Each structure stands twice: as structure tokens, then as C-alpha cells.
Amino acid sequence: MKFIILGLGTLGHTMARILTEQGDDVIGVDNNISKVEEYKDDMSSTICLDVSEYHALTSLPIKDVDAVVVAIGNQLSVSIQAVAYVKKLGAKRILARSNSSVETAILNAIGIDEIMKPGELAGERYSFNVSTTGIKRLFPIDDEYRIYETLVAPVLIGNSVESINFKGNFKMQLITIKRESPSKNFFGDVSTQYDVLEGWNENTLLQKNDILVLFGKESDFSNMKKTLS
């Protein structure tokens, strides 16, 4: 997969390093030439430019990467500007860092649903999330067990929870199901949010774009993904 990471502070650099180690292509961007030079060997390439300038960002292959990560910290106006510009430039997927409830509210208003809160989750965890196909969020419980939010596999669409038998066939426990629901943000733009599906049961049929919340071992989850791919 291909990524652009704006901001090479602790979070941005950590994500870039881990993604690169996993075999992904990463372009790291920062306005600090010292960081750009220091980290140039930790990722595919590094570029020094002002991410708050729209025309500067047009020089980046934003439409050609799988995701743009805005990991700018402690500069609210710069971060929000960068997110708005990247969205305008047609990024397929945007993950944005938030350092406060105010910033989170602004990002939600812009229409950004994938918001990173470094105080809650580490850079290593986010790099796994953005790189692993189908995984939306990951919550480690201990060295073995995780809670996964993962996009339903195409082969499961139209099947009932009972017929799939997550526990018997994959050793995974289905906790709940999230289903997409269109809504309008502050600016009147229509965006898609996910709500917990109330009243789901063994007879519930899985639909396209459903998000499954599963609990189990990392090894069992990996085996399930391979089986269903």
C-alpha cells in the first residue's frame, strides 16, 4: 500500500517507520528540514514543504496513494488547513490527528471520520490499522487477544450470523455489528457514519459495508482473513 504522512513528529515518524518495515511505500512530509533529513532512511522518501499551503500540497501524488495521514501536532490551524486541502485534492482516505475535543468536533464537521487520538492509541497500533486491508480499528487486550473492527468479507455478505458460526469456524467471538447510516455534517455535506445495529441476532443477514466487531487471538483473526479472502 502507499501512504503520505504529513507531519513527522513522534506519531507520524513512528507510523512511517512501522509501515515501511511492513513493506508499504511511505512519503513523509514535514516543514522542518532537520526532520526530513534525519528520517529519510526510515521510509521510501521524505519531502520538506509547508503543508498549510495549498499549492505546495498539489505537488504531492495525493490521488495516487491509498491514504493520507495528517499527523500534525500542537498546531491546530495548520492541521485543519492541511486536512481541508487534502480532502479538496481528492484523497481516497484521510486519517487525521486530534489533540482536543474542539479539534475532533472540527474534523467531524469537515467530514473526517477516521480520527487519531495519540493519548488513547499508540502510533504502532494505528500503523497496523491503516495498513491491514479491511481493518478499521484494533484494540489490543493483551499479548494475544484483540478486539477488531473489520469490514465484512464479500463472501459473507447475505449470510446469517448463525450460518457463518464465527466461534466454531474461526475461533472468533462476534461482539456486535455496525451498519452504515448516511448523515449530514455541519456544512450540509452528506457523509456516512456507522451505528451499532440494535436487535441483531443469529438470524441477522450481513450486508455490504457492515463492520464486524470481533474478539479473539491475533493468529485466529489472521487465519480467518486468509480463509475468507
Side-chain angles (χ1 to χ4, degrees), residues 7 10 30 53 55 58 75 91 95 110 119 124 128 130 137 181:
T10 301
D30 201 282
E53 291 291 335
H55 291 294
T58 60
Q75 292 179 290
L95 295 94
I110 293 174
E124 287 87 348
F128 182 88
V130 299
R137 288 198 293 178
S181 174

Side-chain angles (χ1 to χ4, degrees), residues 67-80:
V68 177
V69 179
V70 181
I72 300 167
N74 303 320
Q75 292 179 290
L76 175 59
S77 61
V78 173
S79 177
I80 296 302

Side-chain angles (χ1 to χ4, degrees), residues 1 29 41 58 61 74 143 146 149 167 169 176 182 193-194:
M1 296 181 71
V29 182
D41 295 328
T58 60
N74 303 320
D143 291 339
R146 312 279 189 271
E149 288 190 5
K167 190 170 184 180
N169 291 324
T176 192
Q193 65 179 31
Y194 282 83

Side-chain angles (χ1 to χ4, degrees), residues 89-186:
L89 289 169
K92 299 173 184 175
R93 182 183 178 193
I94 303 172
L95 295 94
R97 171 177 179 161
S98 172
N99 297 299
S100 68
S101 58
V102 172
E103 193 164 355
T104 297
I106 296 173
L107 291 171
N108 283 327
I110 293 174
I112 305 302
D113 296 320
E114 296 187 77
I115 300 174
M116 306 180 297
K117 299 179 182 180
E120 298 177 7
L121 297 174
E124 287 87 348
R125 197 174 306 173
Y126 274 116
S127 54
F128 182 88
N129 293 349
V130 299
S131 180
T132 305
T133 303
I135 292 182
K136 298 299 184 182
R137 288 198 293 178
L138 168 70
F139 303 93
I141 303 302
D142 57 24
D143 291 339
E144 286 189 302
Y145 288 91
R146 312 279 189 271
I147 293 176
Y148 300 89
E149 288 190 5
T150 182
L151 188 65
V152 63
V155 70
L156 298 181
I157 296 172
N159 291 285
S160 69
V161 172
E162 182 180 26
S163 66
I164 296 168
N165 191 6
F166 286 98
K167 190 170 184 180
N169 291 324
F170 307 113
K171 300 180 182 178
M172 299 295 296
Q173 180 69 45
L174 179 63
I175 299 174
T176 192
I177 301 168
K178 290 185 176 182
R179 187 155 288 173
E180 62 181 353
S181 174
S183 63
K184 287 187 177 181
N185 63 23
F186 180 79

Side-chain angles (χ1 to χ4, degrees), residues 8 30-40 46 48:
L8 295 177
D30 201 282
N31 63 358
N32 187 326
I33 188 63
S34 297
K35 290 182 179 179
V36 169
E37 288 296 322
E38 181 180 358
Y39 301 143
K40 64 182 180 181
T46 54
C48 184

